[in-house]
Amino acid sequence: MRRFRRFSGISLTSTEPSLMASVSHWRVQLGFIAGPVIFLLMLVLGPPEGMTADAWRVFALTLLMATWWVTEALPIAITALLPVALLPMLDVVPIDEAAAPYANPLIFLFLGGFILAEGIQRWNLHKRLALGVLALAGIRPDRVVAGFMIATAGLSMWVSNTATAALMLPIGLSVLALVDEGDQQHDHGNLSLALLLGIAMAANIGGMGTLIGTPPNALLAGYLRDSHGIEVSFVGWMIVAAPLAAILLASAWWLLTRRVYPLGHQHIQGLEGLIHRERESLGAINYPQFMVSLVFGLVALAWLTRPLLDAAIGGIQLTDAGIAITGALLLFVIPSHWRNLEFLMSWEQARNLPWGVLILVGGGLSLGTAIESSGLAEAAAALLEGLANLPLWLLMGAVTTLIMLLSHVTSNTATAATMLPLTASFALAQNLPLVYMAIPVAMGASCAFMLPVATPPNAIIFSSERLSVMQMARAGAVVSLVAIVLISLWVFLVAAPFLSPRG
């Protein structure tokens, strides 16, 4: 069995690897050469009439980064470092301005969230939570799928969607093996497809609900704050995004279990015993688990009540990022075993954090700032002027669709980083409400459901070898169409009005 693709250290396999591996090999080679050629050719030719030199140079850098991001010619985090190297060299901005976005407060919000998530995983709290939800779901096939999706989405709001999918897949395969063993007279293909696809979709959808759930959310908040002075708080985003994620999750479950791969209502024999045995194997909650739960609960409570805490505690500036880092630091100073000087978190565990994601978010913010300051955003907006006559809701739907399609062929973070400043500038140039056009970029980037290579959860589920690309694409296409409508309507009616600056 050959290697299919690698995400975050997880090796995935496929029964048909040779053709896809060959295509991937040529794609990387083509991108590695095409990116610099396009970049250098544009610098040699110079800007067209009506465009400044700085805007043209940033445009060349944008195409270089987009090419390398799409083809993955280099690791995407390494490509995200190009603004620090090239923007000063191209005399667009000095080094301190190019590097400043890599220390954006949202980066530290993500860092704190990653450390908290690593603590949860280290002490196996995420498995305890997942099994607890499944125990409440019941033993009917459709309710089992619902239980898996709720547990997966709930975890991916706080833990990386890759880690969540990697956790839930073996639990799901255990349930499917139990079903196949207990009833060999019937075909359980639909249950297998609905359950596995439900895990993948829920891992992607759940991340929409919090600012730390997925990088595009943090990119949106950082871009709006730095470039337009619009503050999006942790609780503010949850108020508008978590309900949409819940609606989309319920819609995906209904479509999977009722329309695309319909399930019966016959109970799954032995499932209750399996979940009970798994929970028993975890034992009673121990001291480290209790302390990690307490720290995480306090951090979540502080995020949710920050406005009240600001008013009650004078002279102290509370921020979402500061709260996250404080919680992360507590894990390093609270002992798990005092006599051995062991703590809830150690640097050895912290080395497992997805540091590349932090660089990627910083690179996206740096590129976005350069696109704005150089005048490239205004030039791009002028080219799209003819679209301004379309109704706002239709423009929002078009943006959502474009972002979802792009996220199937490149990193959703890279897509959001490239498209956010362009979309926002188009909105401002045409006197359209900024947040109405920007929010669909972040939300649409989380809804790549159709291809195994679109997101790590999709690839992880595909590695089970229990479904084909066409089966994933069939279900993903149906859910994607519903997602486009839901995101456009929700942003238009709820999210954008709530997050728009008052006055």
Side-chain angles (χ1 to χ4, degrees):
M1 200 76 69
R2 297 181 184 178
R3 190 172 60 185
F4 166 63
R5 194 161 182 180
R6 186 176 296 275
F7 283 102
S8 304
I10 299 171
S11 183
L12 307 175
T13 58
S14 172
T15 54
E16 301 177 351
S18 56
L19 177 60
M20 297 185 74
S22 177
V23 171
S24 177
H25 179 73
W26 280 105
R27 184 186 65 182
V28 169
Q29 286 187 322
L30 178 63
F32 187 81
I33 297 171
V37 168
I38 294 171
F39 176 74
L40 293 174
L41 187 61
M42 291 179 66
L43 294 184
V44 170
L45 292 176
E49 186 177 353
M51 182 177 286
T52 65
D54 281 355
W56 184 250
R57 291 166 186 165
V58 173
F59 187 30
L61 174 61
T62 302
L63 291 182
L64 169 60
M65 294 179 68
T67 301
W68 277 0
W69 270 336
V70 169
T71 61
E72 296 183 63
L74 295 181
I76 57 176
I78 297 301
T79 300
L81 289 172
L82 285 176
V84 176
L86 295 182
L87 287 175
M89 197 180 301
L90 295 172
D91 197 28
V92 176
V93 295
I95 182 67
D96 55 344
E97 291 185 23
Y102 293 82
N104 186 286
L106 269 299
I107 302 293
F108 292 95
L109 174 62
F110 248 69
L111 176 59
F114 285 159
I115 293 174
L116 289 167
E118 187 68 26
I120 290 172
Q121 293 176 70
R122 181 191 181 190
W123 298 106
N124 232 11
L125 281 171
H126 56 329
K127 186 174 183 179
R128 189 180 293 275
L129 173 63
L131 290 171
V133 173
L134 290 176
L136 297 174
I139 54 178
R140 250 176 49 177
D142 55 343
R143 293 180 181 175
V144 169
V145 173
F148 268 92
M149 293 181 71
I150 291 170
T152 303
L155 285 172
S156 67
M157 291 174 68
W158 312 99
V159 181
S160 81
N161 56 11
T162 305
T164 301
L167 163 73
M168 297 302 295
L169 176 60
I171 301 176
L173 291 177
S174 298
V175 170
L176 294 175
L178 178 69
V179 172
D180 292 338
E181 183 181 347
D183 183 5
Q184 300 179 2
Q185 298 179 352
H186 298 90
D187 179 20
H188 302 287
N190 277 8
L191 174 60
S192 177
L193 292 171
L195 181 60
L196 295 176
L197 289 170
I199 292 173
M201 291 180 181
N204 293 319
I205 293 169
M208 297 171 63
T210 64
L211 282 182
I212 63 171
T214 185
N217 297 352
L219 268 172
L220 173 70
Y223 173 76
L224 291 178
R225 177 182 178 274
D226 290 353
S227 299
H228 303 284
I230 300 175
E231 190 74 32
V232 179
S233 68
F234 190 94
V235 66
W237 180 261
M238 274 198 75
I239 288 173
V240 299
L244 172 62
I247 295 170
L248 185 54
L249 186 73
S251 301
W253 170 79
W254 188 86
L255 289 168
L256 280 173
T257 61
R258 295 289 192 273
R259 288 291 179 265
V260 185
Y261 299 114
L263 301 178
H265 297 263
Q266 185 176 359
H267 290 182
I268 301 175
Q269 300 299 321
L271 176 58
E272 191 172 11
L274 173 65
I275 295 174
H276 178 73
R277 289 192 299 273
E278 289 288 332
R279 297 184 75 183
E280 285 290 316
S281 69
L282 294 176
I285 188 167
N286 55 34
Y287 170 76
Q289 291 175 334
F290 173 77
M291 293 308 297
V292 172
S293 301
L294 179 62
V295 170
F296 181 79
L298 290 174
V299 169
L301 183 63
W303 276 332
L304 295 173
T305 60
R306 183 166 67 86
L308 299 177
L309 293 175
D310 281 333
I313 306 174
I316 297 178
Q317 290 188 346
L318 289 176
T319 63
D320 292 334
I323 292 169
I325 293 297
T326 301
L329 289 172
L330 286 175
L331 296 185
F332 284 93
V333 300
I334 296 176
S336 60
H337 197 284
W338 177 248
R339 289 186 178 180
N340 295 339
L341 283 180
E342 295 176 356
F343 299 88
L344 296 177
M345 274 289 292
S346 68
W347 184 245
E348 284 68 29
Q349 278 80 42
R351 290 175 180 173
N352 299 324
L353 299 180
W355 297 100
V357 173
L358 303 179
I359 298 174
L360 183 57
V361 173
L365 293 175
S366 183
L367 178 64
T369 301
I371 289 174
E372 287 283 343
S373 63
S374 67
L376 174 60
E378 295 179 8
L383 293 176
L384 299 173
E385 186 175 353
L387 299 176
N389 295 326
L390 296 176
L392 180 58
W393 62 268
L394 186 58
L395 285 173
M396 293 168 60
V399 168
T400 305
T401 304
L402 174 62
I403 298 303
M404 288 172 60
L405 291 174
L406 289 175
S407 294
H408 278 82
V409 295
T410 186
S411 155
N412 61 353
T413 308
T415 299
T418 306
M419 297 302 296
L420 259 176
L422 298 178
T423 305
S425 297
F426 167 72
L428 293 175
Q430 305 306 322
N431 203 27
L432 298 171
L434 171 62
V435 292
Y436 283 76
M437 298 296 290
I439 296 175
V441 175
M443 291 185 169
S446 295
C447 297
F449 304 127
M450 291 188 289
L451 296 177
V453 297
T455 67
N458 291 8
I460 289 170
I461 296 305
F462 188 72
S463 72
S464 69
E465 300 182 3
R466 279 179 168 261
L467 70 164
S468 67
V469 174
M470 287 306 299
Q471 287 169 330
M472 178 177 283
R474 177 190 171 195
V478 174
V479 177
S480 294
L481 290 173
V482 173
I484 291 171
V485 175
L486 287 177
I487 290 173
S488 300
L489 287 175
W490 187 265
V491 174
F492 185 78
L493 298 174
V494 179
F498 183 86
L499 294 178
S500 294
R502 303 296 184 263

